[in-house]
Amino acid sequence: MEMNYSDIFSSDEDSITDPIISQVERTIKFYALIILLIPSVLLTGFILYHFQWRHLQTQIYAFVLIVNVLILAVELPITLYFLYYGTIFFENRCAGWITLNYSLFQLSVYLMAWTSIERYLFIYHEHFIMRHIILLHYGPIVLLSLYCPSLYIGIVAFYTCKPIYDVRLYICGGPCYSLELTVGLLDWIGNGISMEMTTLFINIILIIRHFIQRHRMKKAILTAAGRQQWGRSVRLALQLLAIGMAYIIAWIPYSIIVLIQMFQNSERLAYILSTVFVYLPYLQSLILPFLCMLFIPDVKQKFFALPIFSCLNKTGRRQNRVQAADRRQTLTIQTRIHTLS
């Protein structure tokens, strides 16, 4: 989800706020994204292949990763094409690019918000969500997967406004409906900021409840089952915090600045948005598989069991043994010298 920049820039400050980024800047962004893209896609494939689908508590992360890999494998190549050439050449490509961009990124944000809610339920109301698993687990995934593409196909392709595209701008400057304050604001707040704030709010609640429970544990005598339940809750919360924070850092500052920009219409701010902040969600998408790998135990175990890590571990153990032998030999020599003296 991006805003429309095509009508924001004027010729008064072209030397400062020209939205068409330079070739050097495009080249840096192109190679930075493509260097991260290959390992990120490969790692996503590894995670999905080894994913334990029967574990309902982590199952939704697989759906988040599927949408994420669609962003990386389908939408990001268009952005890389744009960065490489500085244009997408033909205006008839703009509507498809915008629809794809908005649909996938918005679906990813929605799924992360629902992941936060679902994770909270699994931690504190597990029996409730297990009794309504179809309604509260699979239902939202299906509905959101249908809602986001349908919404943006409708308002990008069929909304009764005249498109103003610039093929030299990221996503051609954005859809024409975002130029209308009411519709643009409803979409940005209702579909964007509200979902990002939901993720932030749930994460804050989890942190607060964690510290409250930790304080209560110091005053109570826990059974073995209680300690096990506490450890499980901490692991589930850490998974959400690690992955959720990536979304929060990438999306909330950007969304708030866009909201301010809708009312202030600052050329300098629009320039920063169009050349810097629009690429933060790609960075979040690129690091997401690494966060999932590190915080999903089953996947992490299989990943570090790969032959390359086994070789590194053997080399490390061999070096440790050699160092230990050297220390023993040095200690023996020092002892003998001390005895002789």
Side-chain angles (χ1 to χ4, degrees):
M1 264 181 55
E2 321 297 340
M3 69 174 294
N4 195 307
Y5 307 98
S6 57
D7 70 330
I8 292 173
F9 303 93
S10 66
S11 60
D12 297 337
E13 300 182 68
D14 282 346
S15 61
I16 299 174
T17 60
D18 183 4
I20 303 170
I21 59 179
S22 67
Q23 183 176 354
V24 173
E25 189 177 347
R26 286 191 288 107
T27 302
I28 292 171
K29 290 175 180 176
F30 174 84
Y31 284 107
L33 291 173
I34 206 166
I35 287 170
L36 291 171
L37 174 62
I38 297 171
S40 184
V41 171
L42 291 175
L43 183 58
T44 302
F46 177 86
I47 294 172
L48 292 176
Y49 179 79
H50 292 285
F51 202 86
Q52 299 293 324
W53 288 89
R54 66 181 183 276
H55 293 168
L56 293 175
Q57 291 88 345
T58 56
Q59 195 178 87
I60 195 167
Y61 288 124
F63 294 107
V64 172
L65 280 170
I66 289 171
V67 175
N68 193 72
V69 80
L70 288 175
I71 292 173
L72 299 180
V74 181
E75 199 282 336
L76 182 53
I78 303 174
T79 299
L80 291 171
Y81 179 91
F82 163 75
L83 288 172
Y84 188 82
Y85 290 105
T87 177
I88 60 166
F89 295 106
F90 303 105
E91 285 191 10
N92 58 8
R93 299 174 177 177
C94 291
W97 186 15
I98 294 169
T99 303
L100 185 66
N101 178 286
Y102 276 46
S103 298
L104 290 177
F105 274 117
Q106 188 55 60
L107 178 56
S108 179
V109 171
Y110 261 111
L111 282 176
M112 191 63 238
W114 184 252
T115 299
S116 303
I117 296 171
E118 185 183 276
R119 179 49 52 97
Y120 180 86
L121 293 175
F122 269 120
I123 294 173
Y124 296 110
H125 305 281
E126 184 175 13
H127 295 297
F128 175 77
I129 191 172
M130 292 302 293
R131 285 199 305 268
H132 304 88
I133 196 67
I134 300 297
L135 179 65
L136 296 177
H137 179 66
Y138 296 106
I141 295 170
V142 174
L143 289 175
L144 292 174
S145 298
L146 295 174
Y147 168 73
C148 291
S150 301
L151 171 67
Y152 290 110
I153 289 172
I155 60 177
V156 173
F158 300 108
Y159 189 70
T160 57
C161 61
K162 185 177 180 181
I164 306 173
Y165 295 138
D166 186 341
V167 294
R168 300 168 301 168
L169 295 179
Y170 175 71
I171 57 168
C172 301
C176 59
Y177 80 83
S178 64
L179 299 176
E180 299 182 12
L181 184 60
T182 303
V183 180
L185 195 60
L186 285 174
D187 177 50
W188 197 254
I189 294 177
N191 292 311
I193 293 179
S194 61
M195 296 299 103
E196 296 148 19
M197 294 306 293
T198 297
T199 301
L200 175 62
F201 184 65
I202 296 296
N203 277 272
I204 291 173
I205 290 178
L206 281 175
I207 293 171
I208 293 172
R209 290 202 63 166
H210 170 77
F211 282 108
I212 291 173
Q213 283 190 318
R214 186 178 178 86
H215 178 71
R216 289 175 178 171
M217 284 175 60
K218 292 179 180 179
K219 299 181 179 181
I221 300 174
L222 287 181
T223 62
R227 291 193 188 93
Q228 185 178 4
Q229 179 63 26
W230 166 252
R232 173 184 171 278
S233 299
V234 170
R235 286 193 300 273
L236 293 177
L238 282 175
Q239 286 175 4
L240 177 61
L241 290 172
I243 296 169
M245 286 305 296
Y247 279 82
I248 291 166
I249 292 170
W251 282 101
I252 289 184
Y254 170 51
S255 297
I256 291 174
I257 292 174
V258 168
L259 191 61
I260 295 170
Q261 175 64 15
M262 285 182 175
F263 294 96
Q264 289 191 353
N265 200 19
S266 164
E267 293 177 359
R268 292 177 184 272
L269 193 57
Y271 173 76
I272 294 171
L273 284 169
S274 63
T275 57
V276 178
F277 278 89
V278 294
Y279 296 99
L280 289 181
Y282 290 112
L283 183 60
Q284 169 261 306
S285 295
L286 288 164
I287 67 171
L288 180 64
F290 297 93
L291 292 173
C292 288
M293 183 271 293
L294 290 173
F295 288 92
I296 299 178
D298 295 334
V299 176
K300 181 180 179 180
Q301 184 179 3
K302 288 184 173 64
F303 182 77
F304 286 106
L306 290 172
I308 184 172
F309 294 106
S310 299
C311 292
L312 290 174
N313 289 334
K314 289 178 181 178
T315 302
R317 287 195 296 269
R318 189 180 300 112
Q319 290 176 347
N320 290 337
R321 287 195 296 268
V322 170
Q323 290 173 358
D326 289 341
R327 284 195 297 269
R328 286 194 300 270
Q329 186 176 5
T330 302
L331 183 60
T332 302
I333 293 171
Q334 290 175 348
T335 303
R336 289 179 180 177
I337 294 173
H338 179 71
T339 304
L340 292 173
S341 62

